[in-house]
Every structure is written in C-alpha cells, then in structure tokens.
Amino acid sequence: MMETTLVILKPSSIQRALAGKILSRFEQKGLRIAGLKMMMLDENLLREHYAHLVDRPFFPSLILSMTATPVIVAAISGVEAVQTVRQMTGATNSRKALPGTIRGDFSMSGQENVIHASDSPENAAIELARFFCPEELYDYSLISTPSLYAPDELTR
Ligand code: TYD
C-alpha cells in the first residue's frame, strides 16, 4: 500500500552536515519526497511528539538536543514506506544499529541518533499532521514509478 511517513533530520544531523546525504538515501531507495521544510521545534511540540517519554530521566536532555538547531522535517512516500524507512533508520541506540542503516552508518549515540522516523502507519498519520499543513504535502508522482514498482504493487 502507498504510504507516507514522517522523518525528522535531528539537530545532530544538521550539526554534522549530514542532511543531504541522509535525504539522498531515501531518494536512492526510490522513495518520493512529498514534503520538506526546516523548522525550529519547541518544548510543547516535543512533549506531544515524545509523550511516551516525558517521564523518563533523559527527557530534559532529549529536549535540549532536539532544540539545539532547527531540524528538517520530511514527508517520505512509497509502497510500505513506514516500515521501509524504519528499517533504513535502524535501532534507537546507534551503536546497536546495523551497518547499512542510517543510524548504523552515521552515528554513535542513543540520543544523538541523527533521525526520527514514524514507527507505524497510525503514528505516521498523526505525526505528519503534527509537523505539516495539508498544503505542504505534494501529491505528484515520480516519472520513474514504472521502473520502481510492478503494476500490481501499486494497486494492492
Ligand atoms: P524512541 O521513540 O524510544 O525511539 P525511536 O527514535 O527509535 O523511535 O525514543 C525517541 C528518542 O528519544 C530517541 O530517538 C532518542 C531518545 N532516547 C534517548 O535519548 N535514550 C533512550 O534510552 C531512549 C529510549 C530514547
């Protein structure tokens, strides 16, 4: 099924000048950039986005890390894009993330792990609405689509 997922290029990737390389990975894979912008996150938004972590001891440090610079938020589309991007992202602790994943290849930390990616289609929908207005998400199709998918992969 065609899906769109949310990726955040965290301040660690901005500081380390990895934004282009990381976006390139999604492009190379055959995923489509459906939305892209730079923004500054604030504590309120992060309390929503990381609601499952607000009571954890590392939460204040996570807020400082995520507000250190602007971030780049990206809406990434493709067939089964949520799981595909999650697999490309790798484990939360970058030292445990497999080589070949973005975290595995570009980072050494559990906190400074360079990107966020939505973990389910339900959360992807919620997170896309949290970071993008509807008019910032573009529904064009890539001219390469017939070289990326078999026809039946696009209809089921
Ligand atoms: P989480 O949603 O558990 O993981 P993921 O980003 O892989 O979906 O955690 C969100 C972020 O919180 C994680 O990317 C970095 C930070 N974090 C820590 O700094 N230490 C931790 O022990 C955990 C679990 C998360």
Side-chain angles (χ1 to χ4, degrees):
M1 184 150 58
M2 194 56 78
E3 296 173 347
T4 304
T5 191
L6 178 84
V7 170
I8 304 175
L9 306 184
K10 297 183 178 186
S12 48
S13 63
I14 305 297
Q15 288 286 28
R16 295 184 50 226
L18 292 170
K21 273 202 176 111
I22 292 171
L23 266 184
S24 219
R25 292 241 182 166
F26 298 123
E27 290 186 296
Q28 277 176 253
K29 178 71 173 162
L31 292 156
R32 180 177 73 87
I33 300 172
L36 191 66
K37 67 176 172 181
M38 190 168 232
M39 64 189 289
M40 197 72 200
L41 303 183
D42 64 25
E43 185 167 345
N44 281 344
L45 192 68
L46 286 165
R47 282 186 167 275
E48 244 184 62
H49 182 64
Y50 285 137
H52 58 296
L53 299 172
V54 285
D55 295 327
R56 301 290 289 274
F58 59 80
F59 191 73
S61 172
L62 179 60
I63 296 279
L64 285 176
S65 166
M66 292 295 291
T67 56
T69 68
V71 298
I72 292 172
V73 290
I76 303 290
S77 294
V79 172
E80 291 166 21
V82 175
Q83 197 197 353
T84 302
V85 169
R86 221 19 217 190
Q87 275 174 342
M88 291 174 73
T89 298
T92 306
N93 179 345
S94 304
R95 293 186 299 280
K96 303 256 161 35
L98 291 177
T101 64
I102 291 166
R103 287 170 172 168
D105 287 353
F106 292 126
S107 51
M108 278 297 287
S109 165
Q111 176 179 278
E112 304 305 321
N113 57 6
V114 293
I115 67 168
H116 165 82
S118 306
D119 64 2
S120 67
E122 297 70 30
N123 281 339
I126 293 167
E127 293 177 0
L128 285 164
R130 179 174 296 137
F131 291 93
F132 286 98
C133 343
E135 61 271 25
E136 290 174 326
L137 298 175
Y138 296 93
D139 189 22
Y140 65 100
S141 56
L142 290 175
I143 200 165
S144 54
T145 301
S147 306
L148 287 168
Y149 300 107
D152 73 312
E153 290 175 304
L154 294 168
T155 49
R156 50 171 187 244

